[in-house]
């Protein structure tokens, strides 16, 4: 609530006292249901007074928020004491209201012994509530107090009540100003702002905080019954749970980093060993089927360790080397080639290369297989 907007508007609200027959029981009727007037024709500044279930609900809610019980005095002396200096003894007290089909009732009236005697003996006949109302519609807005009276239309009572009501409103305004300042101080603390921060600055910073909460916790803020305190507690519980899990890991769910690395290293070594075995097997089969020459073994092993499938495809695409199964010279040694050790792959390769070079210089093209065949034919 903005203290600047909390003012007593004399032209919009009226204040009055009316009277209803009273009994000494715990329940008294304060207003009849619907529209009504005082016996003297009031109100003069409104079409009538009126109360219904909806108006009563608002009155009851406001009344229930009071900390102290509401007094019932004699002849409205509580309002007159400032003028006549006389004491204002209570005839009773009440704190609970209830709406019924017939009107608004006080349902927990506690009469003094003196008041009970006076009501039972007929010394007092009416209960007169003091209330505020809307001058435009006549709708009753609130109850101030009540009084035992024998004069349902006391001359000048409305003016006296209005004066006292104005003082009451001013007191309420002062209390609201104090409450507002207390609220602002709490917001300054919560937002970590200096004590000199203005209300406008606090509102702006508070809006930033609201926007941030909505952005970071969309699901929570859109849920019914959202509460900031509950959100903070929930996040704090999550942080505490995560911290506990980090500081106290479950051995059944986690292993040490060193252990994991050792397992990974062992697995890598096993995979390498298995790959070496497969590459060796592929090379051996290729040598046996004459699709790979001994000088190609080192290359084949290196390539196979990098890409075994590629090596397999290469070997599958190669025709068998005829020189490794039969001679291409009909058993006769080619000219110009010296005998070499068939177990010396290096010597075979060098001799085959030399043979190709010699033939090329003579204008004859010889394939590697043909050159090797020629070399091996010279045993």
């Amino acid at each position: 609530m903005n203290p600047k907007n909390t003012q007593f508007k004399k032209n919009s609200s009226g204040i009055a006292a009316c009277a209803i027959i009273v009994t000494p029981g715990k329940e008294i009727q304060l207003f009849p249901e619907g529209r009504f007037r005082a016996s003297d024709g009031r109100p003069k500044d409104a079409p009538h007074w009126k109360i219904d279930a909806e108006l009563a609900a608002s009155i009851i809610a406001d009344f229930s928020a009071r900390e102290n019980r509401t007094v019932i005095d004699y002849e409205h002396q509580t309002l007159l004491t400032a003028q006549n200096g006389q004491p204002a003894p209570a005839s009773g007290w009440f704190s609970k209201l209830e709406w019924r089909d017939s009107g608004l009732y006080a349902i927990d009236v506690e009469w003094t012994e003196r008041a009970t005697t006076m009501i039972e003996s007929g010394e007092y006949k009416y209960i007169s509530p003091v209330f505020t109302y809307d001058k435009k519609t006549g709708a009753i807005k609130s109850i101030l107090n009540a009084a035992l009276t024998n004069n349902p239309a006391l001359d000048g009572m409305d003016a006296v009540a209005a004066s006292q009501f104005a003082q009451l409103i001013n007191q309420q305004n002062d209390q609201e100003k104090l409450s507002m300042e207390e609220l602002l101080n709490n917001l300054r603390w919560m937002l970590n702002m200096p004590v000199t921060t203005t209300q406008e600055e606090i509102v702006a910073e508070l809006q930033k905080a609201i926007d941030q909460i909505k952005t970071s916790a969309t699901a929570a803020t859109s849920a019914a019954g959202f509460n900031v305190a509950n959100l903070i507690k929930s996040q704090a519980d999550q942080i505490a749970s995560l911290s506990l899990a980090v500081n106290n890991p479950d051995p059944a769910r986690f292993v040490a980093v060193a252990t994991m690395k050792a397992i990974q290293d062992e697995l890598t070594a096993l995979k390498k060993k298995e790959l070496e075995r497969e590459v060796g097997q592929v090379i051996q089969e290729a040598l046996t089927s004459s699709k790979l020459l001994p000088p190609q073994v080192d290359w084949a092993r290196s390539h196979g360790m990098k890409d075994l499938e590629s090596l397999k495809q290469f070997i599958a695409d190669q025709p068998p080397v005829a020189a490794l199964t039969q001679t291409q010279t009909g058993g006769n040694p080619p000219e110009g080639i010296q005998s070499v050790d068939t177990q010396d792959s290096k010597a075979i390769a060098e001799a085959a290369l030399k043979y190709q070079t010699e033939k090329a210089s003579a204008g004859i093209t010889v394939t590697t297989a043909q050159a090797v065949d020629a070399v091996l034919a010279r045993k």
Side-chain angles (χ1 to χ4, degrees), residues 159-338:
V160 173
S163 174
Q164 295 300 315
F165 182 61
Q167 294 181 20
L168 176 62
I169 291 297
N170 289 333
Q171 292 175 358
Q172 290 178 344
N173 285 345
D174 291 340
Q175 292 176 351
E176 288 174 354
K177 288 179 181 178
L178 291 175
S179 299
M180 176 59 70
E181 187 57 36
E182 182 179 0
L183 174 61
L184 292 175
N185 284 333
N186 288 337
L187 288 173
R188 289 187 185 101
W189 176 86
M190 185 177 72
L191 299 172
N192 194 27
M193 303 181 76
V195 294
T196 55
T197 305
T198 65
Q199 179 176 332
E200 290 74 15
E201 292 171 335
I202 293 174
V203 171
E205 191 67 20
L206 182 61
Q207 187 59 53
K208 291 180 183 178
I210 292 173
D211 294 340
Q212 185 174 357
I213 291 174
K214 287 182 177 180
T215 301
S216 60
T218 305
T221 55
S222 60
F226 167 71
N227 182 281
V228 174
N230 291 340
L231 175 62
I232 294 174
K233 183 179 183 302
S234 174
Q235 293 183 339
D237 290 343
Q238 292 180 21
I239 292 173
S241 178
L242 291 173
S243 298
L244 181 63
V246 170
N247 296 327
N248 301 277
D250 184 356
R253 298 177 59 190
F254 303 98
V255 296
V257 174
T259 302
M260 177 61 72
K261 187 176 185 306
I263 294 174
Q264 291 175 339
D265 291 344
E266 184 176 352
L267 180 60
T268 300
L270 289 173
K271 287 183 177 180
K272 182 179 179 181
K273 187 174 181 180
E274 176 62 19
L275 180 59
E276 288 175 345
R277 185 193 66 78
E278 289 188 53
V279 170
Q281 183 177 347
V282 169
I283 292 174
Q284 184 60 45
E285 291 175 355
L287 289 172
T288 302
S289 62
S290 302
K291 290 190 173 186
L292 195 66
L293 298 175
Q296 296 176 296
V297 170
D298 290 341
W299 167 84
R301 192 178 307 281
S302 175
H303 187 70
M305 293 299 294
K306 296 176 182 177
D307 191 342
L308 178 59
E309 293 303 318
S310 175
L311 176 62
K312 288 180 178 180
Q313 188 61 47
F314 171 79
I315 293 174
D317 293 340
Q318 298 302 309
V321 179
L324 300 179
T325 58
Q326 62 182 357
T327 64
Q328 297 178 2
T329 60
N332 299 316
E335 297 179 357
I337 299 179
Q338 298 178 351

Side-chain angles (χ1 to χ4, degrees), residues 115-189:
T116 300
T117 301
M118 297 177 76
I119 293 171
E120 289 177 343
S121 65
E123 294 183 57
Y124 275 106
K125 188 175 182 180
Y126 299 103
I127 184 74
S128 176
V130 180
F131 57 94
T132 62
Y133 60 93
D134 188 303
K135 289 184 178 181
K136 184 177 181 179
T137 64
I140 296 176
K141 298 168 65 176
S142 65
I143 298 175
L144 299 182
N145 56 35
L148 286 176
T149 183
N150 286 321
N151 187 354
L154 299 177
D155 293 337
M157 178 53 61
D158 288 357
V160 173
S163 174
Q164 295 300 315
F165 182 61
Q167 294 181 20
L168 176 62
I169 291 297
N170 289 333
Q171 292 175 358
Q172 290 178 344
N173 285 345
D174 291 340
Q175 292 176 351
E176 288 174 354
K177 288 179 181 178
L178 291 175
S179 299
M180 176 59 70
E181 187 57 36
E182 182 179 0
L183 174 61
L184 292 175
N185 284 333
N186 288 337
L187 288 173
R188 289 187 185 101
W189 176 86

